[in-house]
Amino acid sequence: QVSPEIPDRCPSCGRSIVWRKDHLWCTNSIDCPAQSERAVEHFFKTLGNIDGFGPETVIKLYKNDVNSAVQVYRLSQDDLIEFGFGEKTSENLISELQKSRQLQIEDWRFLAAFGIDSLGPGNAERLLTVYSIKELLNVSAEEMAALNGFAFRSAGVIAAGIERAKPSIKEMLELG
């Protein structure tokens, strides 16, 4: 019987990896290509109101230094053409971005799209029954832990994640 080979470095960026529960995680959450690509892909998949931003598109964007959903929403059709997307594909992607700004979605989808640890759709929905998205940007771990269904440890992880994502959340709200 052959044992699986477990890497000691991230195959995408070469940084160290750690075990988190049953999974290996790259410690480079800032600029690991694989994490950045998955974060953008996760954002659009979780929003659920936009097509065209699957793995192939996201990889092509990343290769052109577009590594966040905020950056994606700032793109023009000319940018996409310059990145090597066809004219019709570029037009369709920009159309999808515009459509996603106009279609109403649930706030929990928007919040969960940022991929904050321990803040899946259920926890996002629970938090948003008490706080608005803007209010949630300033909620402490202690305030969150006082809510039914939030242990202090998970509240701390969520609050820290929201703090890290706060600039992106604010910017996305400003972008519509």
Side-chain angles (χ1 to χ4, degrees):
Q1 193 174 34
V2 177
S3 296
E5 189 175 316
I6 299 174
D8 61 349
R9 296 263 180 238
C10 173
S12 182
C13 71
R15 295 272 183 92
S16 62
I17 53 177
V18 296
W19 283 100
R20 283 195 197 160
K21 299 181 183 170
D22 293 337
H23 304 280
L24 286 172
W25 289 87
C26 174
T27 57
N28 180 15
S29 62
I30 304 299
D31 58 2
C32 174
Q35 286 194 52
S36 296
E37 290 167 10
R38 296 303 156 260
V40 172
E41 196 178 321
H42 171 80
F43 185 87
F44 290 110
K45 185 177 182 181
T46 305
L47 279 186
N49 70 348
I50 188 167
D51 290 323
F53 289 89
E56 289 179 24
T57 299
V58 171
I59 288 168
K60 196 169 196 175
L61 291 171
Y62 188 84
K63 287 179 180 175
N64 286 281
D65 296 323
V66 177
N67 54 21
S68 73
V70 170
Q71 289 176 303
V72 171
Y73 274 95
R74 288 192 170 147
L75 293 173
S76 70
Q77 186 172 342
D78 289 338
D79 293 331
L80 293 170
I81 290 170
E82 188 177 311
F83 296 163
F85 291 95
E87 189 168 327
K88 186 62 177 168
T89 300
S90 299
E91 183 182 322
N92 289 342
L93 290 172
I94 293 300
S95 175
E96 285 292 319
L97 289 169
Q98 292 304 328
K99 183 178 82 172
S100 78
R101 287 178 164 153
Q102 296 162 355
L103 292 175
Q104 187 78 15
I105 63 163
E106 299 91 346
D107 285 347
W108 64 263
R109 280 189 180 277
F110 175 75
L111 189 58
F114 287 91
I116 296 166
D117 281 349
S118 299
L119 187 61
N123 278 344
E125 197 167 12
R126 262 194 302 282
L127 284 172
L128 292 169
T129 62
V130 179
Y131 301 104
S132 71
I133 289 176
K134 288 183 180 178
E135 291 170 335
L136 194 55
L137 296 178
N138 298 309
V139 172
S140 70
E142 293 78 15
E143 292 169 313
M144 205 176 293
L147 300 174
N148 188 23
F150 289 92
F152 188 75
R153 185 172 179 182
S154 63
V157 169
I158 293 168
I162 289 172
E163 187 61 35
R164 279 191 304 277
K166 189 187 292 190
S168 295
I169 295 170
K170 284 181 173 182
E171 205 162 345
M172 289 299 279
L173 289 170
E174 289 170 11
L175 288 169

